[in-house]
Amino acid sequence: MQHGEPAPVKVQSARPGEAYETDVIIVGAGPVGLFAVFELGLLDLKAHVVDVLDRPGGQCAELYPEKPIYDIPALPIVTGQGLTDALLKQIAPFEPTFHLGQMAEALERRGDGKFTLRTELGTSITAPVLVIAAGGGSFVPRKPKIEGIEAFEGNCVHYAVRQMERFRGRDIVIAGGGDSALDWVLNLQPIAKSTTLIHRRDDFRAAPHSVAQMRKLVAEGKVRLEIADLKGLIGAGGALSAVECHSKERGGYKIPCEELLAFYGLTMKLGPIANFGLNLHENLIPVDTEKFESSEPGIFAIGDINTYAGKLKLILCGFHEGALMAQAAFRIARPGERLVFLYTTSSTDLQKKLGVA
Ligand code: FAD
């Protein structure tokens, strides 16, 4: 965090598996999706934001949280996480509803013209406007190259933690050396029956204070650290009984466990949006530059996911696209209502919405 950056903002995710109705659905909680909440909020449009990651910030929070960005207007220097926290603070007055840790999977246009978006956790959200702010696509986990791993996935092999309680009283093995692996060692160790961390070398990419905390738990005998390669899984019927490892010193050996959590990083793929029925050009969504609307009326695409003549994949361009999209979204969500152009500096109405007047 750079000096003067806002404190981290904790975001609550709505209950999965429920049906929701709102003005605008936003797919993608990257910087562009977050700023769209602000522009929509100024026009009294409520937004629900869906992201497959379990925290907002998109590429900024996931790929370069501690790197400084130098080309955000009026912020000479801000880190990826600092920008995310500032955006979350800026949109807080509009109380967006987040649906995190779930892939936006299927889209249906209803008879009344509204869209219903369904997620992999059974959440459904209905709205007259859909905004795709999916960036470079959804982040998907890199999987360990282990034969037969699919048979355990969704059961005893995990690439994300959806519910911590799932691991209470269990013998868990966590594989990886980055922030996710270390964060989950620290978070799950107090509730798991036993916690083992496997990493191929005794050198961790995670934040130094997390590494120090992990080493303290190892010294106290609360976490077992194995410097080894993960080679195989042993179990039957989708239930895990041990993982197979290999190290130079010990050769092949087994670690008994019931759950494996592998955090080998993420890659980006367009994913289910390819099946939303939109025109695509090289996995991007072509849009006009007046409203940033796609080939399907009512579906907008902003940020890195869209393409048009002169497009630059910059955060500031995505912010501009969000502002123009919001004007068009208003006309769809509030047909017949007058849209008045107002400045935040001089409109008490806008200032009331922002909670400052
Ligand atoms: P993203 O940040 O990609 O967020 C999209 C979100 O959508 C992701 O969280 C993803 O999980 C989610 N998503 C996608 N599909 C689905 C789905 N089906 N269901 C649920 N969720 C989904 N830009 C600058 O302007 N200045 C810089 O200095 C700069 N430096 C950079 C440095 C690096 C190392 C990188 C990698 C990028 C940099 N960028 C920079 C680019 C900038 O990060 C992107 O332009 C910006 O993140 C795009 O924002 P976005 O909101 O459009 O998409």
Side-chain angles (χ1 to χ4, degrees):
M1 191 160 87
Q2 296 288 324
H3 181 67
E5 286 189 359
V9 180
K10 199 133 183 75
V11 168
Q12 281 291 330
S13 200
R15 251 158 73 107
E18 310 266 319
Y20 299 89
E21 183 131 15
T22 187
D23 294 319
V24 180
I25 307 161
I26 301 176
V27 176
V32 176
L34 295 180
F35 191 65
V37 170
F38 183 83
E39 289 296 327
L40 292 163
L42 288 179
L43 305 182
D44 269 338
L45 298 176
K46 282 268 170 213
H48 279 230
V49 186
V50 181
D51 205 299
V52 66
L53 295 177
D54 57 8
R55 55 188 163 175
Q59 294 176 48
C60 300
E62 204 56 40
L63 300 182
Y64 56 102
E66 296 190 340
K67 273 203 177 128
I69 312 172
Y70 299 99
D71 59 351
I72 303 299
L75 290 178
I77 176 170
V78 64
T79 59
Q81 189 57 49
L83 177 66
T84 304
D85 291 331
L87 285 165
L88 288 171
K89 192 171 170 210
Q90 192 171 23
I91 66 176
F94 300 118
E95 298 176 348
T97 306
F98 284 98
H99 305 270
L100 299 175
Q102 39 197 313
M103 181 82 88
E105 223 165 40
L107 182 70
E108 166 200 340
R109 186 149 206 160
R110 307 191 324 176
D112 62 2
K114 289 186 178 175
F115 301 100
T116 297
L117 181 88
R118 288 177 212 287
T119 76
E120 60 177 327
L121 296 187
T123 303
S124 80
I125 314 165
T126 299
V129 175
L130 174 74
V131 176
I132 301 181
S138 51
F139 285 97
V140 289
R142 267 198 202 101
K143 300 181 180 185
K145 289 192 179 79
I146 295 177
E147 221 181 282
I149 195 165
E150 304 77 30
F152 298 92
E153 285 174 353
N155 199 6
C156 296
V157 169
H158 315 265
Y159 305 112
V161 175
R162 305 271 187 244
Q163 262 192 326
M164 279 176 58
E165 275 307 303
R166 166 82 181 70
F167 301 98
R168 183 175 291 279
R170 308 287 283 171
D171 291 308
I172 65 170
V173 167
I174 296 180
D179 280 312
S180 295
L182 274 274
D183 282 355
W184 286 119
V185 165
L186 303 180
N187 282 306
L188 293 177
Q189 178 275 324
I191 62 166
K193 189 168 162 208
S194 71
T195 308
T196 303
L197 173 65
I198 302 184
H199 187 44
R200 61 183 194 285
R201 51 197 154 85
D202 199 5
D203 178 25
F204 294 86
R205 295 184 313 280
H209 66 273
S210 305
V211 179
Q213 270 181 283
M214 177 274 290
R215 291 206 191 276
K216 186 165 173 278
L217 291 173
V218 172
E220 290 167 357
K222 293 178 179 163
V223 168
R224 181 171 157 187
L225 174 62
E226 296 288 339
I227 305 303
D229 287 320
L230 184 62
K231 289 287 189 196
L233 305 177
I234 300 169
L240 198 60
S241 57
V243 294
E244 289 179 314
C245 305
H246 184 274
S247 74
K248 258 193 221 142
E249 298 75 31
R250 295 179 62 182
Y253 64 104
K254 291 177 192 153
I255 301 171
C257 69
E258 296 166 295
E259 313 281 347
L260 169 68
L261 299 98
F263 298 106
Y264 284 10
L266 299 161
T267 54
M268 294 186 89
K269 283 200 182 133
L270 180 60
I273 289 167
N275 305 321
F276 282 10
L278 302 171
N279 283 349
L280 295 177
H281 176 71
E282 292 176 354
N283 275 349
L284 298 169
I285 303 174
V287 289
D288 63 64
T289 48
E290 182 196 339
K291 307 185 294 290
F292 299 94
E293 199 168 25
S294 71
S295 57
E296 181 72 25
I299 302 185
F300 298 82
I302 56 175
D304 279 13
I305 192 77
N306 74 14
T307 179
Y308 52 86
K311 167 73 184 181
L312 287 180
K313 286 191 184 182
L314 283 177
I315 296 165
L316 77 93
C317 297
F319 288 172
H320 159 80
E321 293 161 11
L324 268 60
M325 169 282 295
Q327 303 281 312
F330 180 90
R331 293 191 173 90
I332 296 171
R334 303 272 189 273
E337 281 186 38
R338 208 158 70 88
L339 182 55
V340 185
F341 178 76
L342 298 168
Y343 287 126
T344 55
T345 40
S346 43
S347 159
T348 20
D349 188 29
L350 291 185
Q351 288 163 6
K352 273 187 197 148
K353 288 178 197 172
L354 290 165
V356 291

